Amino acid sequence: MEWQILEGVPEADVARVLDMARKRTFRKGEVVFHEGDPGDTLHLVRSGRFAVKVTTQYADEAILSVLRAGDIFGELALLSPNAPRSATVVALEPSETLSVHQLDFGRLRREHPGVGDVLISVLSAQVRRLSRHLLEALYTPADTRVRRRVLELVDIYAPDTPDGAPITIPLTQDDLADLAGTSRATVNRVLREDEARGIVELGRGRTLVRDRDGLAKWAGL
């Protein structure tokens, strides 16, 4: 498994981090950690998918992002040991991570200063992603945001799909609304429009994407 987020970091330093990591497995629906828990580990996703959720002012949970193999979460634990987790992470399917404790990472960083590039790479990628989504939230119409979030999910779920088959996104329209920062009604309207164009097919608790290029066109990409 290669983590794109670690590209450019010397192989020897990445190997040192992976050597000290502990394999953890999670069942579908199992929580890795809760929002507010003390943070002490970084997780590298080896297989499966995870949802990152936060509690809203109305005490509901909203999905911020979906993570797949090659992604990383919990990285702030390496900067602020035992600081409360800023979100809840739950497995969407049987999944596996490699976890690195902040004490192990700190010791390795002291012995091999180049390992610090791993952390810089992780945080830089997160800042770029958050900045892009913030700009979209401020300046991009909701219809476009919905389609772009669906496109991101297409890339996340495509590896499980045979060539030429429609790509199934097993998330509800409420979940998509959370990801796009809009209402469920808007998501339903946008997807119904795209269904009429033959781009997607709607099912109970899922969306099938039949025409990725058509979806990208309407998303302005």
Side-chain angles (χ1 to χ4, degrees):
M1 167 57 63
E2 294 183 359
W3 285 270
Q4 292 183 352
I5 204 167
L6 301 181
E7 286 182 357
V9 177
E11 291 185 8
D13 291 333
V14 174
R16 291 186 182 101
V17 173
L18 298 182
D19 284 344
M20 68 173 54
R22 182 168 66 94
K23 184 175 77 172
R24 296 189 58 187
T25 58
F26 300 91
R27 302 181 305 276
K28 179 180 179 180
E30 186 174 356
V31 173
V32 182
F33 51 72
H34 290 277
E35 181 178 358
D37 285 350
D40 59 5
T41 51
L42 162 76
H43 289 263
L44 298 91
V45 183
R46 192 173 184 182
S47 65
R49 298 174 182 86
F50 295 85
V52 180
K53 302 182 177 183
V54 295
T55 304
T56 71
Q57 60 180 324
Y58 304 109
D60 296 323
E61 281 193 332
I63 294 181
L64 290 182
S65 61
V66 175
L67 307 176
R68 59 178 164 175
D71 287 331
I72 292 177
F73 62 88
E75 67 280 355
L76 293 181
L78 302 184
L79 282 180
S80 303
N82 297 315
R85 296 288 193 184
S86 59
T88 296
V89 177
V90 58
L92 293 172
E93 58 194 66
S95 304
E96 182 179 300
T97 71
L98 295 176
S99 66
V100 181
H101 195 276
Q102 56 91 6
L103 291 177
D104 291 330
F105 189 87
R107 181 172 59 254
L108 185 63
R109 190 178 181 185
R110 289 191 297 271
E111 295 172 356
H112 305 278
V115 174
D117 291 342
V118 172
L119 184 56
I120 293 173
S121 177
V122 169
L123 296 176
S124 296
Q126 293 287 35
V127 168
R128 287 193 297 270
R129 183 184 67 82
L130 292 173
S131 296
R132 185 179 72 253
H133 283 196
L134 176 59
L135 286 173
E136 286 187 353
L138 293 173
Y139 301 111
T140 303
D143 293 25
T144 302
R145 296 201 306 273
V146 171
R147 293 183 174 108
R148 289 183 180 181
R149 296 295 84 79
V150 173
L151 273 173
E152 290 175 357
L153 292 168
V154 165
D155 292 337
I156 288 173
Y157 285 97
D160 294 344
T161 306
D163 290 343
I167 298 167
T168 299
I169 298 173
L171 297 180
T172 67
Q173 292 187 15
D174 285 321
D175 293 335
L176 297 178
D178 291 341
L179 291 169
T182 189
S183 67
R184 184 189 183 281
T186 297
V187 170
N188 184 262
R189 175 180 57 77
V190 171
L191 294 180
R192 290 293 180 189
E193 292 173 355
D194 288 346
E195 186 175 42
R197 298 183 180 107
I199 294 173
V200 304
E201 177 185 334
L202 302 185
R204 186 175 180 84
R206 62 190 175 91
T207 300
L208 278 69
V209 177
R210 297 188 173 278
D211 182 0
R212 188 193 186 285
D213 292 340
L215 183 60
K217 175 184 176 181
W218 284 94
L221 299 174

